[in-house]
Amino acid sequence: MTDTPAPSALWPAPLADGPVRASVTVPGSKSVTNRALVLAALSAEPGWVRRPLRSRDSQLMADSLRAMGVGIEETVSSSSAGDGETGEAWRIIPAALHGPATVDVGNAGTVMRFLPPVATLAAGDIRFDGDPRSYERPLGEVINALRALGARIDDDGRGALPLTVHGGGALEGGTVEIDATNSSQFVSALLLSAPRFNQGVEVRHVGSNLPSMPHIRMTVEMLRAAGAQVDTPEAGGEKNVWRVTPGALLGRDMVVEPDLSNAQPFMAAALITGGTVTVPDWPRRTTQPGDALRAIFTEMGGSCELTDAGLVFTGSGKIHGIDVDLGDVGELTPGVAAVAALADSESVLRGVQHLRMHETDRLAALTAEINALGGDVTETADGLRIRPRPLHGGTFHTYDDHRMATAGAVIGLAVRGVLIENVATTAKTLPDFPRMWADMLAGTGTGTGTGTGAGA
């Protein structure tokens, strides 16, 4: 593994000198890994999480669960299913959750939102703290919902971190209304722990908009795989209502899919350079939002084929603008915006007003950084309008946001002199990104980024 630049360093984004041709194995999904860790920790028996993502976000989740008493053994082993599955695995050994403990959420939305419901089941106080940016991210809906379900939480009226959950060893549960307009994680947070609530839970979303529905579907499917009974709108239930029946979760052998959203910069490289990138192990069926890249990048000028080797994506050498609603797949917005800034026509990205509350205000950040390189990006009420212009080099600030860093690297493929501030922030979900990027450009593309990286 190469050394990742320090946060204060400026990383010169490599300029592509021809079509990219590489196979890039991306690490496991942060969204799947962190949900699997929570479900395994709440199960009635030990289980396995295989091919987990090892990154800052997943390490924060594992360390937080350990602090509350859960056993997590990191090992390399073979699958008990007899399917030949080998590689890195975490054995999760559930235990009686307890405090006092302190949870460091970093700036991980899954940790700060998924674990307060878990903490209500602990005996003792669990304090939550994190990076300065985490204090600005919305958490009030989860706090208020847990209080309505019987929890005791001190947040000094902030509706945000830091806070303390006074765990009583159990939570009554029941019916609760929640406005998840700012994040689908509010719904997932309540559903994941609900089988352990005395009455389960009925979550009613009362807001006007619900972004990132694929992530809620991911939560539901993983709950069902762990033995939970979940009623959903898609299964004929009421619109925007989810019900989880109380009951024991079963220890499972869960294999984590590759993080399809983290395949985005590498696919973008093929699109921009007119090259070909293969992403091994791309699932034929998935709830991951990143699967939408196949359609989005095809409309922008590429083509793809799902083969036994994985997803083979090829750029045509031309990049077209796009008018697209990214409401369900908002995490793809920075990468799509980066490609759109290099297109031959205007793009309009819609339905992503909730990105103003992500790791940073992503709409403002993308506007500022692309325009600083000579671009023409304007914010709309719910997204971005991008009019391509010739770009020039300069510093691309990341705001401690991993997807801003990879977006800057994508632009740097076609624009000489782009310097990425704090590329080390990619360790949040894509450890060792600089080496993976260099391997791709060299045509080796062998790096998986599954190491610990510099630091979802």
Side-chain angles (χ1 to χ4, degrees):
M1 182 186 303
T2 57
D3 291 335
T4 301
S8 59
L10 293 178
W11 180 67
L15 188 72
D17 58 6
V20 168
R21 304 198 185 282
S23 176
V24 181
T25 300
V26 296
S29 163
K30 175 202 72 174
S31 298
V32 174
T33 297
N34 279 1
R35 284 166 172 78
L37 284 170
V38 171
L39 291 172
L42 295 177
S43 294
E45 56 192 358
W48 289 91
V49 178
R50 301 186 186 278
R51 296 186 186 176
L53 171 68
R54 287 185 58 88
S55 72
R56 187 186 186 213
D57 275 21
S58 59
Q59 199 63 55
L60 286 167
M61 180 66 84
D63 289 346
S64 298
L65 290 169
R66 286 186 178 112
M68 287 188 273
V70 178
I72 302 179
E73 300 174 352
E74 303 180 23
T75 184
V76 177
S77 65
S78 300
S79 170
S80 62
D83 56 7
E85 187 71 53
T86 60
E88 185 169 8
W90 292 350
R91 180 164 172 78
I92 317 301
I93 304 170
L97 302 175
H98 61 79
T102 297
V103 167
D104 176 8
V105 310
N107 192 19
T110 52
V111 182
M112 72 178 68
R113 290 161 183 158
F114 292 178
L115 288 190
V118 175
T120 67
L121 304 172
D125 291 351
I126 310 295
R127 177 171 172 78
F128 289 79
D129 208 336
D131 297 351
R133 171 61 182 170
S134 71
Y135 295 4
E136 303 172 26
R137 300 185 68 181
L139 193 56
E141 290 293 328
V142 174
I143 294 170
N144 292 335
L146 289 174
R147 285 174 175 151
L149 296 174
R152 292 174 53 231
I153 301 175
D154 288 339
D155 67 337
D156 293 333
R158 288 182 299 270
L161 294 172
L163 60 85
T164 299
V165 176
H166 301 287
L171 191 70
E172 190 59 24
T175 299
V176 66
E177 292 187 343
I178 191 168
D179 183 350
T181 300
N182 285 328
S183 176
S184 67
Q185 290 177 354
F186 299 164
V187 174
S188 289
L190 298 173
L191 299 184
L192 285 167
S193 294
R196 291 282 302 272
F197 298 166
N198 293 341
Q199 297 182 38
V201 80
E202 178 180 293
V203 179
R204 293 179 168 269
H205 167 62
V206 296
S208 58
N209 179 57
L210 184 57
S212 303
M213 277 297 296
H215 278 128
I216 296 179
R217 287 193 285 271
M218 177 187 294
T219 297
V220 168
E221 288 202 6
M222 293 184 69
L223 273 163
R224 287 172 172 163
Q229 180 178 329
V230 188
D231 296 326
T232 68
E234 295 88 346
E238 295 179 64
K239 182 180 179 181
N240 292 337
V241 177
W242 294 262
R243 297 182 181 89
V244 180
T245 301
L249 292 173
L250 308 176
R252 295 299 196 193
D253 200 327
M254 293 179 278
V255 179
V256 178
E257 297 174 349
D259 193 319
L260 306 188
S261 294
N262 276 338
Q264 182 179 38
F266 305 99
M267 294 170 65
L271 182 58
I272 289 167
T273 67
T276 298
V277 165
T278 300
V279 182
D281 300 319
W282 193 287
R284 294 187 177 273
R285 180 186 176 280
T286 181
T287 55
Q288 287 192 62
D291 195 46
L293 287 167
R294 292 191 291 161
I296 293 169
F297 278 170
T298 294
E299 186 174 345
M300 296 187 80
S303 62
C304 63
E305 181 182 5
L306 203 52
T307 70
D308 290 341
L311 181 72
V312 180
F313 183 81
T314 302
S316 64
K318 297 181 179 179
I319 308 171
H320 307 308
I322 190 172
D323 188 326
V324 61
D325 187 329
L326 298 175
D328 275 348
V329 293
E331 65 196 51
L332 304 181
T333 302
V336 174
V339 173
L342 304 170
D344 59 12
S345 58
E346 179 179 287
S347 293
V348 180
L349 312 185
R350 307 178 186 275
V352 288
Q353 62 273 14
H354 59 286
L355 295 189
R356 294 187 170 98
M357 304 304 295
H358 274 221
E359 280 81 347
T360 187
D361 179 340
R362 283 179 170 165
L363 300 186
L366 287 164
T367 300
E369 298 311 309
I370 295 175
N371 287 352
L373 302 182
D376 183 2
V377 182
T378 56
E379 286 192 55
T380 64
D382 69 339
L384 299 172
R385 184 178 301 275
I386 303 169
R387 300 177 179 88
R389 292 174 55 180
L391 301 181
H392 55 72
T395 299
F396 194 95
H397 299 92
T398 62
Y399 308 84
D400 295 325
D401 185 335
H402 58 133
R403 299 206 191 277
M404 286 295 296
T406 54
V410 166
I411 292 174
L413 290 171
V415 179
R416 185 180 302 276
V418 174
L419 303 173
I420 310 298
E421 173 218 39
N422 190 15
V423 74
T425 195
T426 54
K428 179 180 173 71
T429 60
L430 196 54
D432 211 11
F433 170 74
R435 178 182 62 81
M436 295 180 69
W437 201 242
D439 285 351
M440 174 196 69
L441 290 170
T444 57
T446 56
T448 63
T450 53
T452 56

